[in-house]
Amino acid sequence: MTDIKSMLPEELSAFVAELGQPKYRADQIFKWLHAVGTDFDGMTDLPKAFRDKLGENCFIPDVTVAAKQVSKIDGTVKYLFKLYDGEYIESVFMRYHHGNTLCISTQAGCRMGCKFCASTLNGLKRNLLPAEMISQIQDAQKDTGERVTGVVLMGMGEPLDNYDNVLKFLRLVNHPKGLNIGHRHISLSTCGLVDNIRRLAEEKMQITLSVSLHAPNDELRKSIMPIANKYTVSQLLEACRDYEKITGRRTSFEYALISGVTDTKELATELGKKLKGSLCHVNLIPINEIKERSYVGASRAAADAFVKVLSTFGITATVRRKLGSDISAACGQLRDEHESLVEQ
Ligand code: SAH
């Protein structure tokens, strides 16, 4: 069975021609799959016999809402989606002044092994298909009745560990005949797969690169992020500078504030020195505590002090506003709760 929804328009054209249909059918199908979000039965301007043929040869790997939580504080919605093969992933719908942002997953599980993250506790299950990334956006739009204007690839998984499918997703989501979400409204967050950051830069898309740095030196970074054994902080920062040069986009860094581990003034000074002179922005995230780990989030005072030190190096930093703090907000938490319910 062919995953028809993950096809780029040119692939769809070739596929339709193979089935002996005129090329304009590809346009029709693309619109139904991406702009409308329907299955073969809903494609009312296609002949019934052709719809049946599509149904026999193709499948649409849409996600379905398995559970959802709505924050009473700020209306943030967290979705648990079930995939066609029974795996689960999460997305989070957030309302900001400038529009609605959906945080989507790119893998079921993750194999990066970051010590503070719930998504990686049971390893990688599988890569998501491009269509499964598109479908998270469509379902959130349908459920909320509101348009998603921005997307962050910051849910479960490491986007650059699923490079080809993520790249295809970025092409599909941006398509004027599909969801038509501009690349400038999309951020891709990575724990720092340097080789693939370089590949992405060469695509020359206007995606914002968000790098999960979390520590200013190799020793500390290695103790919380296994990827630091493969690439050094200086290799990573160099790749970010090159990404900026090639795309003209300012990098943003995420820095998780773990009490007593990453949130000291000395580390802020070390980070300030390393980032000095770059146009980057730093997002400080007091860590969400997960029950499997003993890490504790930094206090507001420690976070504010960290911002102050960075500002002396000319680096702008903000402490991330916590949306949905009442609804298992940390990555992977909702899925873990769900799985433990299923196991019981
Ligand atoms: N794999 C990618 C994207 C998914 S994680 C990456 O590493 O960037 C999205 C962000 O959430 C990352 O910055 C990640 O480090 C952070 N994160 C993971 N667990 C967290 C937790 N318990 N509290 C706060 N942030 C967390």
Side-chain angles (χ1 to χ4, degrees):
M1 294 287 258
T2 306
D3 166 13
I4 191 168
K5 193 164 172 172
S6 294
M7 287 184 184
L8 294 169
E10 56 271 25
E11 292 170 329
L12 197 52
S13 285
F15 182 69
V16 161
E18 258 172 51
L19 294 178
Q21 290 284 324
K23 285 236 158 113
Y24 66 86
R25 295 270 182 243
D27 263 3
Q28 291 175 311
I29 297 172
F30 191 85
K31 181 197 75 187
W32 285 119
L33 291 172
H34 290 273
V36 185
T38 184
D39 59 11
F40 301 122
D41 289 339
M43 301 184 180
T44 47
D45 56 2
L46 302 187
K48 175 83 171 71
F50 181 45
R51 275 187 266 158
D52 291 345
K53 195 163 182 182
L54 288 176
E56 284 156 24
N57 291 287
C58 309
F59 82 119
I60 304 172
D62 280 342
V63 303
T64 50
V65 180
K68 100 179 183 186
Q69 293 179 343
V70 183
S71 165
K72 291 192 182 70
I73 303 170
D74 50 42
T76 296
V77 189
K78 182 141 186 171
Y79 295 100
L80 179 74
F81 286 121
K82 189 173 184 177
L83 308 182
Y84 72 89
D85 59 354
E87 294 295 340
Y88 291 93
I89 52 151
E90 296 174 22
S91 309
V92 184
F93 180 91
M94 293 162 287
R95 293 186 177 88
Y96 292 102
H97 307 297
H98 53 80
N100 298 320
T101 295
L102 191 72
C103 172
I104 66 162
S105 293
T106 55
Q107 295 179 315
C110 182
R111 59 180 183 141
M112 294 297 121
C114 299
K115 294 274 167 50
F116 44 81
C117 181
S119 296
T120 198
L121 288 170
N122 296 315
L124 176 67
K125 297 287 171 62
R126 70 168 171 87
N127 284 328
L128 295 200
L129 300 165
E132 291 173 319
M133 299 177 216
I134 294 284
S135 182
Q136 295 172 56
I137 303 171
Q138 292 173 326
D139 273 30
Q141 291 194 149
K142 275 185 199 155
D143 183 67
T144 57
E146 294 176 42
R147 198 170 134 69
V148 169
T149 50
V151 177
V152 292
L153 281 66
M154 228 179 246
M156 295 187 112
E158 167 49 51
L160 296 185
D161 188 39
N162 183 14
Y163 188 87
D164 293 341
N165 286 348
V166 164
L167 204 73
K168 230 171 169 187
F169 160 76
L170 293 172
R171 298 220 158 98
L172 291 168
V173 74
N174 177 238
H175 199 281
K177 289 185 180 146
L179 284 169
N180 197 15
I181 299 176
H183 281 166
R184 286 172 175 265
H185 303 283
I186 300 180
S187 293
L188 182 150
S189 181
T190 176
C191 64
L193 275 64
V194 168
D195 296 349
N196 282 348
I197 291 177
R198 294 191 174 284
R199 266 172 90 189
L200 185 67
E202 293 306 329
E203 308 288 346
K204 299 197 171 60
M205 288 175 165
Q206 289 294 294
I207 307 285
T208 300
L209 185 67
S210 232
V211 173
S212 299
L213 191 59
H214 302 333
N217 62 62
D218 293 325
E219 194 193 346
L220 179 60
R221 201 161 189 264
K222 279 180 195 173
S223 74
I224 51 176
M225 301 176 75
I227 192 69
N229 293 300
K230 188 158 181 200
Y231 304 107
T232 63
V233 170
S234 71
Q235 285 172 322
L236 178 55
L237 294 181
E238 199 187 323
C240 295
R241 280 192 289 273
D242 289 344
Y243 186 91
E244 274 181 19
K245 258 187 239 150
I246 294 170
T247 64
R249 304 289 291 164
R250 188 171 85 148
T251 311
S252 80
F253 290 103
E254 340 240 17
Y255 190 99
L257 292 170
I258 309 174
S259 183
V261 180
T262 62
D263 69 343
T264 65
K265 283 189 184 165
E266 291 71 30
L267 290 168
T269 304
E270 200 178 344
L271 183 65
K273 281 183 186 156
K274 293 224 168 138
L275 298 182
K276 198 177 171 184
S278 91
L279 291 171
C280 68
H281 180 87
V282 179
N283 281 312
L284 297 169
I285 319 164
I287 203 140
N288 283 306
E289 286 142 32
I290 58 172
K291 62 177 186 305
E292 293 81 358
R293 298 280 183 267
S294 54
Y295 293 128
V296 175
S299 66
R300 184 74 218 192
D304 289 345
F306 210 95
V307 173
K308 224 170 173 181
V309 173
L310 286 179
S311 74
T312 64
F313 293 92
I315 304 294
T316 58
T318 39
V319 181
R320 185 169 289 168
R321 195 157 66 97
K322 257 193 175 182
L323 289 179
S325 52
D326 54 336
I327 53 165
S328 318
C331 295
Q333 283 189 339
L334 185 59
R335 185 187 69 145
D336 287 351
E337 278 170 20
H338 178 83
E339 288 187 345
S340 56
L341 285 178
V342 172
E343 279 159 19
Q344 273 164 19

